[in-house]
Amino acid sequence: MSVPHTSRPPEPPVFAAPWEAQTFALVVSLHDAGLFTWSEWAQALGRAGDRVADYALWLETIEALLAERGLTSAAALEARRAAFARAAAATPHGEPIRLENDPGA
Protein backbone atom coordinates (compact mmCIF):
# COMPACT_ATOMS: atom_id res chain seq x y z
CA MET A 1 0.00 0.00 0.00
CA SER A 2 1.41 3.38 -0.92
CA VAL A 3 1.11 6.48 1.15
CA PRO A 4 -0.80 9.22 -0.63
CA HIS A 5 1.35 12.17 -1.59
CA THR A 6 0.23 15.34 0.10
CA SER A 7 1.25 18.67 -1.21
CA ARG A 8 2.22 21.40 1.22
CA PRO A 9 3.02 24.96 0.42
CA PRO A 10 6.72 25.70 0.52
CA GLU A 11 8.15 26.81 3.83
CA PRO A 12 8.92 30.51 3.96
CA PRO A 13 12.62 31.32 4.15
CA VAL A 14 14.03 31.58 7.65
CA PHE A 15 15.88 34.76 6.74
CA ALA A 16 14.50 37.49 4.51
CA ALA A 17 17.97 38.56 3.33
CA PRO A 18 21.55 37.29 3.54
CA TRP A 19 22.55 39.98 6.07
CA GLU A 20 19.99 38.55 8.50
CA ALA A 21 21.61 35.11 8.31
CA GLN A 22 25.03 36.73 8.75
CA THR A 23 23.80 38.66 11.81
CA PHE A 24 22.39 35.47 13.31
CA ALA A 25 25.66 33.63 12.68
CA LEU A 26 27.67 36.52 14.16
CA VAL A 27 25.63 36.47 17.36
CA VAL A 28 25.99 32.70 17.72
CA SER A 29 29.74 32.88 17.01
CA LEU A 30 30.31 35.65 19.56
CA HIS A 31 28.32 33.69 22.14
CA ASP A 32 30.35 30.57 21.38
CA ALA A 33 33.53 32.64 21.82
CA GLY A 34 32.38 33.55 25.32
CA LEU A 35 31.55 37.22 24.72
CA PHE A 36 28.18 36.87 26.47
CA THR A 37 25.79 34.28 27.87
CA TRP A 38 22.35 33.73 26.38
CA SER A 39 20.88 35.35 29.52
CA GLU A 40 23.00 38.46 28.92
CA TRP A 41 21.92 38.46 25.27
CA ALA A 42 18.26 38.27 26.24
CA GLN A 43 18.74 41.12 28.73
CA ALA A 44 20.47 43.25 26.10
CA LEU A 45 17.67 42.62 23.59
CA GLY A 46 15.14 43.42 26.28
CA ARG A 47 16.53 46.93 26.66
CA ALA A 48 14.64 47.82 23.48
CA GLY A 49 11.37 47.58 25.39
CA ASP A 50 8.37 46.80 23.22
CA ARG A 51 10.30 47.02 19.95
CA VAL A 52 10.08 43.92 17.79
CA ALA A 53 13.27 41.86 18.08
CA ASP A 54 14.04 41.75 14.35
CA TYR A 55 17.52 41.32 12.91
CA ALA A 56 18.06 45.09 12.75
CA LEU A 57 17.65 45.10 16.53
CA TRP A 58 19.95 42.08 16.80
CA LEU A 59 22.62 44.01 14.90
CA GLU A 60 22.18 47.13 17.05
CA THR A 61 22.32 44.98 20.18
CA ILE A 62 25.52 43.19 19.22
CA GLU A 63 27.13 46.53 18.36
CA ALA A 64 26.12 47.88 21.79
CA LEU A 65 27.49 44.79 23.57
CA LEU A 66 30.79 45.06 21.69
CA ALA A 67 31.09 48.73 22.65
CA GLU A 68 30.11 48.08 26.30
CA ARG A 69 32.81 45.43 26.55
CA GLY A 70 35.45 47.70 25.07
CA LEU A 71 35.87 45.68 21.88
CA THR A 72 34.90 48.63 19.70
CA SER A 73 33.74 52.20 20.15
CA ALA A 74 30.77 54.22 19.00
CA ALA A 75 33.16 56.23 16.81
CA ALA A 76 34.57 53.08 15.17
CA LEU A 77 31.06 51.77 14.51
CA GLU A 78 29.99 55.08 12.97
CA ALA A 79 33.13 55.15 10.80
CA ARG A 80 32.34 51.63 9.56
CA ARG A 81 28.72 52.58 8.80
CA ALA A 82 29.92 55.63 6.85
CA ALA A 83 32.46 53.54 4.92
CA PHE A 84 29.77 51.01 4.06
CA ALA A 85 27.41 53.77 2.87
CA ARG A 86 30.13 55.23 0.62
CA ALA A 87 30.98 51.77 -0.72
CA ALA A 88 27.29 51.08 -1.37
CA ALA A 89 26.93 54.35 -3.29
CA ALA A 90 30.00 53.47 -5.39
CA THR A 91 28.87 49.90 -6.16
CA PRO A 92 26.99 49.22 -9.40
CA HIS A 93 23.45 47.90 -8.94
CA GLY A 94 23.35 44.15 -8.51
CA GLU A 95 26.99 43.84 -7.47
CA PRO A 96 28.01 42.90 -3.92
CA ILE A 97 28.93 45.80 -1.68
CA ARG A 98 32.55 45.55 -0.59
CA LEU A 99 34.31 47.93 1.76
CA GLU A 100 37.29 48.04 -0.59
CA ASN A 101 34.94 49.92 -2.97
CA ASP A 102 34.82 52.80 -0.48
CA PRO A 103 36.15 55.78 -2.41
CA GLY A 104 36.98 57.48 0.90
CA ALA A 105 39.32 54.72 2.05
Side-chain angles (χ1 to χ4, degrees):
M1 172 176 230
S2 67
V3 176
H5 177 71
T6 58
S7 178
R8 290 191 286 174
E11 295 288 327
V14 175
F15 303 104
W19 74 268
E20 292 182 352
Q22 292 166 342
T23 299
F24 181 88
L26 177 63
V27 169
V28 171
S29 294
L30 292 173
H31 166 267
D32 290 350
L35 181 68
F36 53 82
T37 66
W38 288 128
S39 294
E40 291 169 326
W41 175 249
Q43 271 187 324
L45 276 176
R47 291 184 210 151
D50 291 337
R51 183 173 162 195
V52 174
D54 61 8
Y55 288 104
L57 178 59
W58 278 45
L59 187 56
E60 290 172 26
T61 301
I62 202 61
E63 288 176 348
L65 280 173
L66 290 171
E68 287 168 15
R69 294 176 183 201
L71 299 170
T72 192
S73 66
L77 290 169
E78 185 51 44
R80 183 54 65 116
R81 283 188 206 98
F84 185 85
R86 288 188 305 268
T91 300
H93 179 73
E95 295 294 317
I97 300 168
R98 293 186 179 17
L99 286 175
E100 55 264 19
N101 292 340
D102 174 9

